Amino acid sequence: MVDYQLHSIVEMKKPHACTIKATGKKANAWEITRLGADIRIQCTNCHHEVMMSRYDFNQKVKKVLN
């Protein structure tokens, strides 16, 4: 199990569809903006928000960056 908290930056298993303009690579850093039974994460590049259950989040998270 990965240890995370509010405002942690996490890396997911699959990258987000948006690209970073400076490098041309897919963005894969997300900030946790809500914790509870559901978890809301926000892309650090384009600020797109996704809400998922805690179970789904634990399955899809790769590692905690910050």
Side-chain angles (χ1 to χ4, degrees), residues 33-64:
T33 57
R34 180 184 186 275
L35 282 174
D38 295 327
I39 294 178
R40 181 180 294 145
I41 56 176
Q42 183 179 35
C43 179
T44 58
N45 186 43
C46 69
H47 304 292
H48 177 77
E49 289 189 349
V50 176
M51 188 173 226
M52 62 183 75
S53 69
R54 186 177 287 265
Y55 177 79
D56 288 340
F57 178 80
N58 287 332
Q59 295 294 318
K60 295 178 182 184
V61 70
K62 186 174 184 180
K63 64 181 175 180
V64 177

